[in-house]
Amino acid sequence: MKNVFESRLPHMRYLTFPFRMTESGGAVSGRVEHIREQIMQVLFTSPEERVFRPEFGFGARRYVFEPNAMPMWEEVRSRLLGSLAESLAGEVDPKTLTVDVGAPEGHPEQLLVKISYVLAALQKQESHEFRI
């Protein structure tokens, strides 16, 4: 089902992430889904993992064995905000990009990352939560 906000724009389609094939070829996603997929790429790609973009990525894996407490949350929030601002430039309004980090209630072993932003072209608020 097409998103009402996306119907205002030309029919832009992007290859999905993670990449997968369908009977008609590569699976595609719309703009809103594509931006969420970009966020996932930033979260789970480690710096220096991409040959031609060594600075790309946040590298969530490096925090797996760190103490899940306020000092780490602040570092994660700061580094992730910078990585996302660079990767989503032009797609989201940078003044609206927020990142909140903490442990979900009752799950101190998990890291909860909440990312909110406004899509620049659509002026539509989006929010996503990721548990790492």
Side-chain angles (χ1 to χ4, degrees):
M1 187 165 151
K2 188 187 290 190
N3 184 317
V4 172
F5 292 101
E6 287 192 11
S7 64
R8 296 183 202 163
L9 298 173
H11 296 291
M12 304 270 313
R13 290 292 182 224
Y14 307 88
L15 286 174
T16 59
F17 176 81
F19 302 113
R20 59 188 174 276
M21 297 299 290
T22 66
E23 289 182 15
S24 60
V28 295
S29 58
R31 186 177 200 146
V32 174
E33 294 86 16
H34 175 68
I35 293 171
R36 182 180 189 285
E37 293 164 354
Q38 283 181 298
I39 292 170
M40 289 176 55
Q41 287 182 54
V42 170
L43 273 171
F44 299 111
T45 301
S46 296
E48 300 182 10
E49 191 173 307
R50 291 192 175 184
V51 175
F52 295 108
R53 290 191 65 198
E55 75 287 348
F56 180 85
F58 167 69
R61 280 181 242 136
R62 86 172 92 192
Y63 297 99
V64 170
F65 296 108
E66 295 294 323
N68 197 7
M70 184 67 75
M72 185 194 64
W73 300 343
E74 286 303 314
E75 179 184 342
V76 166
R77 190 190 71 71
S78 176
R79 294 191 81 240
L80 187 54
L81 190 58
S83 292
L84 288 172
E86 180 181 331
S87 296
L88 301 176
E91 295 284 356
V92 304
D93 181 352
K95 296 177 290 198
T96 65
L97 183 61
T98 62
V99 175
D100 294 314
V101 180
E105 191 171 322
H107 296 281
E109 75 283 0
Q110 295 179 1
L111 183 65
L112 179 63
V113 177
K114 297 178 184 179
I115 301 168
S116 300
Y117 54 88
V118 172
L119 295 169
L122 305 174
Q123 293 303 302
K124 180 181 185 290
Q125 175 76 38
E126 287 287 317
S127 294
H128 306 289
E129 288 188 3
F130 300 92
R131 287 178 185 242
I132 302 172

